[in-house]
Amino acid sequence: MSNKSFFLNSLKYIIVSGASKGLNYLILLYFAVGIFSEQYITILLLLSLEQLLNLLLPLNNPTIIYSKTVVDYDKITNKLISTSFLFLCFYIISFWLFKESIFRYYGVSNLIIFSSILFNVFTNGYIFYLTNFYKLIENHDKALKVQSLYFISFLSILIFSLVLENKVLAFFLGKSVGFLIIIILIKLFKFNITKFRFLNFTVNEWKKMLNLFSISILGWISGLGFINLAKIYSTPEIVLRIGYILNLWNVFLLIGIGVNSVYHPLIKKHITNKMPDIANKIKHQTLLLYLGISLCAYIIYYTLNYINLLDNYPEIQKVFIEIPNTLILFVISAFYYVIHPFYLVYDKFKTFNFLNISAFIFTVFITFTGTFNGYNNYIIYLILLYFFKSSFLYIYGEKKLIRNV
């Protein structure tokens, strides 16, 4: 694939992701400046629960298909769906056993909200898997069509937010209705790729999935899950600022999704075809692309800040001033993004997980040492978590996966 094709396909994914998923984050930003901060934090906390359940669902860990040992996509698809059904049953049973505790923690006892979250977990997992499958086989046109259907969820959330006074209910129920419509359209347009058969993972596949689960949980902790930690040990003001940062981070994450949608399949293709030098060259070019995007974003931020464009909008300004912190996370994560697929293709799932855990333990030690000594600015700890995670993986990957192949 030429550099021009790489850029154009990445741009298509960024645009489609922005129109389909990114608009949901804009709704959240509107909630942040348009409703009481307590309601905004409630939505983020429930989103962190939804995200955690998502990450523990096999369908939401499709990166197993990037392993060079996975060649039968029909089987792996059925295995992922089968185990996801079992996980969903486990979620439902666990919820009923601990629902009173769950209600107290989140301050919400509306069963429709929690039912919507469980429905969203499974349907989103299936849609997410389909887009990744079509990306992997480089059928980008079909991947973009499936991903564009996410726009329906935005419209549904928007409609429910306008109709219902309870914005928490409107957000999750609206998303659920949107996902239901998407699943129906996938069936009508015949985007589904296999006839369902109940199949089990092999022992080796389970080992890979368990490592992916662990990596996903740590990813959740460094995202929306971090709010739960900050809520316990930090101040309400810092918690709200972290909420703004993570909300903005999700917008920047759409750029990562766009680039990686093209980048990851290319790395697997070139390594599988025994052309690691080309894969390494693409890695360097992609890293420069990320850094260039970050620089452009900062110039735009600096310009807007210099001309005081938002001075008359204090609520928006409170969110806007967190862009530098968000960009720091994005720059650090660029090193994570470019090295990530090498671990998957070379079947280094266990090593990938070990390095993630090591970075997390190191950050936890610093965080609780600082908290014990009265330093509770958890924004710094969030940045440190991203720094250690990215640096550990990038340095090891450069020395052991790329130079020694």
Side-chain angles (χ1 to χ4, degrees), residues 48-147:
S48 75
L49 171 65
E50 182 179 291
Q51 190 179 76
L52 176 61
L53 298 179
N54 266 319
L55 294 175
L56 291 175
L57 198 75
L59 277 170
N60 258 298
N61 284 278
T63 45
I64 189 175
I65 64 178
Y66 286 92
S67 167
K68 62 183 179 182
T69 59
V70 174
V71 292
D72 192 332
Y73 297 118
D74 180 73
K75 281 187 177 181
I76 198 66
T77 301
N78 278 291
K79 289 176 179 180
L80 286 165
I81 294 173
S82 300
T83 51
S84 293
F85 271 127
L86 296 177
F87 272 69
L88 186 62
C89 292
F90 174 75
Y91 294 162
I92 293 171
I93 293 171
S94 298
F95 173 78
W96 281 107
L97 289 175
F98 301 103
K99 66 178 181 177
E100 295 303 326
S101 298
I102 294 171
F103 290 162
R104 281 196 302 272
Y105 180 79
Y106 292 101
V108 176
S109 58
N110 192 319
L111 282 175
I112 296 177
I113 292 175
F114 288 99
S115 298
S116 297
I117 288 174
L118 290 173
F119 181 79
N120 295 342
V121 166
F122 187 82
T123 52
N124 178 68
Y126 183 65
I127 300 165
F128 184 60
Y129 174 76
L130 283 182
T131 57
N132 275 275
F133 170 77
Y134 287 124
K135 290 172 189 175
L136 177 63
I137 62 175
E138 295 190 89
N139 189 341
H140 293 297
D141 287 340
K142 189 165 283 189
L144 286 165
K145 288 176 182 177
V146 175
Q147 192 161 326

Side-chain angles (χ1 to χ4, degrees), residues 14-34:
I14 292 171
I15 293 172
V16 171
S17 296
S20 57
K21 289 185 175 182
L23 292 174
N24 289 356
Y25 302 130
L26 291 182
I27 291 178
L28 286 175
L29 286 174
Y30 168 74
F31 286 168
V33 300

